[in-house]
């Protein structure tokens, strides 16, 4: 850009040129200061339209992945609670088996067997109480829960988990040794004879096998969720790195450029001051006349 003839005072082209250069430098310097203050190379679409678009999409994906990771954590907590309840029921079944084994022995009289019958029935009631108390956010986990967890940022990234019903009336069924199963009151034994207790032993073994299968499936689901959580963590790291390469500012480069711009700013300011005083030279011609 031409600086113009300093003898022409009506339009000070030298000053205009200096002002234009100074404005450009100030704009670039302000832009660099914004980048340093935000830590971002791209603060708005005009900085890099394509980069801004890609970074925005990556930010959306990262947000989805992070929430999915939290969802997986909640799912694992949910299954931990279910497993804890099932473990408590398993302890009760083991105790019931011990009582039934004792009742199946002919060394006991009818009175003692009557006590054992009452104890086993009371233990089965405890199973239902545990089932009622094993909940997560109001969802009953031992009453045949079917759960679907959002474990990814895509609409199809879900995992379905089923927990078999594990109340006393689900683990036991009416038969030769059990005269009734009630949703709230557990089971009722046919009588307190040795043969009844012998039959209850078989029913308890069946209940233990069923419960063990449920616990085993929960373990498989928990392991699957742990693997998913690790994959999500890796995906979050990878996408965050990609966004950083596109959007984040290179502090060393920007700071170096800012130092250069500050020097140019001082030079341009000095040039502008000089350009503004140049028309004073014309006064010499007028005075000489």
């Amino acid at each position: 850009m031409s600086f113009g003839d300093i003898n022409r005072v009506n339009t000070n082209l030298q000053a205009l040129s200096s002002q234009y250069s100074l404005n450009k430098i100030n704009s670039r310097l302000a832009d660099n200061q914004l980048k340093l203050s935000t830590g971002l190379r791209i603060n708005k679409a005009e900085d890099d339209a394509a980069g801004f678009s890609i970074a925005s999409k990556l930010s959306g994906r990262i947000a989805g992945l992070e929430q999915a990771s939290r969802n997986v954590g909640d799912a694992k907590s949910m299954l931990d609670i279910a497993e804890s309840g099932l473990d408590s029921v398993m302890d009760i079944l083991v105790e019931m088996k011990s009582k039934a084994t004792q009742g199946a022995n002919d060394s006991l009289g009818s009175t003692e067997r009557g006590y054992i019958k009452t104890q086993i029935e009371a233990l089965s009631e405890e199973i239902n109480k545990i089932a009622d108390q094993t909940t997560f956010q109001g969802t009953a986990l031992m009453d045949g829960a079917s759960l679907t967890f959002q474990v990814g940022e895509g609409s199809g990234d879900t995992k379905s988990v089923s927990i078999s019903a594990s109340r006393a009336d689900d683990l036991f069924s009416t038969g030769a040794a059990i005269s009734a199963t009630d949703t709230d009151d557990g089971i009722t034994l046919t009588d307190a004879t040795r043969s009844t207790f012998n039959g209850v032993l078989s029913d308890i073994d069946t209940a233990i096998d069923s419960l063990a299968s449920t616990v085993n499936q929960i373990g498989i689901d928990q392991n699957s969720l742990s693997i998913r959580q690790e994959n999500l963590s890796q995906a979050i790291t990878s996408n965050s790195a990609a966004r950083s390469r596109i959007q984040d500012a290179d502090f060393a480069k920007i700071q170096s450029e800012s130092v250069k711009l500050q020097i140019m700013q001082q030079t341009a300011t000095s040039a502008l001051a000089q350009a503004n005083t140049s028309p004073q030279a014309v006064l010499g011609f007028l005075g000489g006349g």
Side-chain angles (χ1 to χ4, degrees):
M1 180 178 291
S2 172
F3 280 94
D5 187 348
I6 63 173
N7 292 323
R8 300 180 186 276
V9 298
N10 192 49
T11 303
N12 192 340
L13 294 179
Q14 186 179 15
L16 291 175
S17 297
S18 297
Q19 183 66 57
Y20 174 76
S21 296
L22 182 59
N23 287 342
K24 284 183 64 178
I25 293 169
N26 287 339
S27 177
R28 290 173 60 189
L29 194 55
D31 188 50
N32 277 8
Q33 290 172 342
L34 175 62
K35 291 175 181 178
L36 290 172
S37 64
T38 62
L40 300 175
R41 180 182 71 87
I42 305 173
N43 289 282
K44 49 190 180 296
E46 69 177 273
D47 293 336
D48 181 348
F52 184 82
S53 176
I54 295 171
S56 297
K57 291 177 181 178
L58 287 171
S59 294
R61 187 173 187 210
I62 291 168
L65 290 170
E66 288 175 339
Q67 184 57 58
S69 182
R70 290 190 288 269
N71 290 353
V72 171
D74 290 343
K76 291 176 66 177
S77 297
M78 212 169 182
L79 295 184
D80 285 343
I81 292 172
E83 183 182 11
S84 178
L86 293 171
D87 287 343
S88 296
V89 171
M90 183 65 80
D91 291 339
I92 290 176
L93 290 177
V94 170
E95 186 175 356
M96 288 174 68
K97 182 168 183 178
S98 175
K99 298 294 184 184
T101 302
Q102 182 182 13
N105 188 23
D106 264 340
S107 63
L108 297 179
S110 59
T111 301
E112 290 77 16
R113 285 199 178 101
Y115 294 150
I116 293 173
K117 175 180 181 295
T118 302
Q119 290 172 351
I120 290 176
E121 290 171 346
L123 287 171
S124 73
E125 290 181 32
E126 291 301 317
I127 291 176
N128 286 347
K129 290 179 182 178
I130 291 171
D132 292 337
Q133 296 168 2
T134 305
T135 62
F136 186 90
Q137 297 284 64
T139 300
L141 300 179
M142 292 177 59
D143 201 14
S146 294
L147 310 168
T148 300
F149 302 116
Q150 186 69 36
V151 295
E153 43 97 22
S155 60
D157 294 331
T158 60
K159 178 174 178 57
S160 298
V161 173
S162 296
I163 304 174
S164 298
S166 301
R167 300 174 60 85
D169 46 301
D170 299 309
L171 296 171
F172 296 94
S173 59
T174 300
I178 298 173
S179 61
T181 57
D182 185 271
T183 301
D184 296 319
D185 298 333
I187 64 172
T188 302
L189 303 188
T190 304
D191 52 41
T193 62
R194 190 196 70 79
S195 61
T196 293
F197 285 118
N198 190 268
V200 168
L201 281 174
S202 177
D203 293 331
I204 293 175
D205 284 339
T206 299
I208 289 175
D209 288 342
S210 174
L211 195 65
S213 177
T214 300
V215 173
N216 178 66
Q217 185 58 51
I218 286 180
I220 293 172
D221 291 331
Q222 287 172 323
N223 184 61
S224 176
L225 288 170
S226 293
I227 294 173
R228 171 68 69 153
Q229 194 167 42
E230 183 177 348
N231 290 338
L232 285 170
S233 178
Q234 292 175 348
I236 291 169
T237 300
S238 298
N239 282 274
S240 296
R243 182 182 62 181
S244 175
R245 285 191 293 270
I246 295 170
Q247 190 175 40
D248 289 355
D250 184 336
F251 270 67
K253 180 179 178 181
I254 294 174
Q255 183 61 37
S256 176
E257 184 180 1
S258 294
V259 171
K260 180 186 73 173
L261 289 171
Q262 287 169 356
I263 295 172
M264 293 174 63
Q265 183 187 51
Q266 294 172 9
T267 303
T269 301
S270 177
L272 177 60
Q274 184 177 358
N276 284 331
T277 60
S278 294
Q280 297 296 322
V282 177
L283 292 176
F285 295 110
L286 296 176

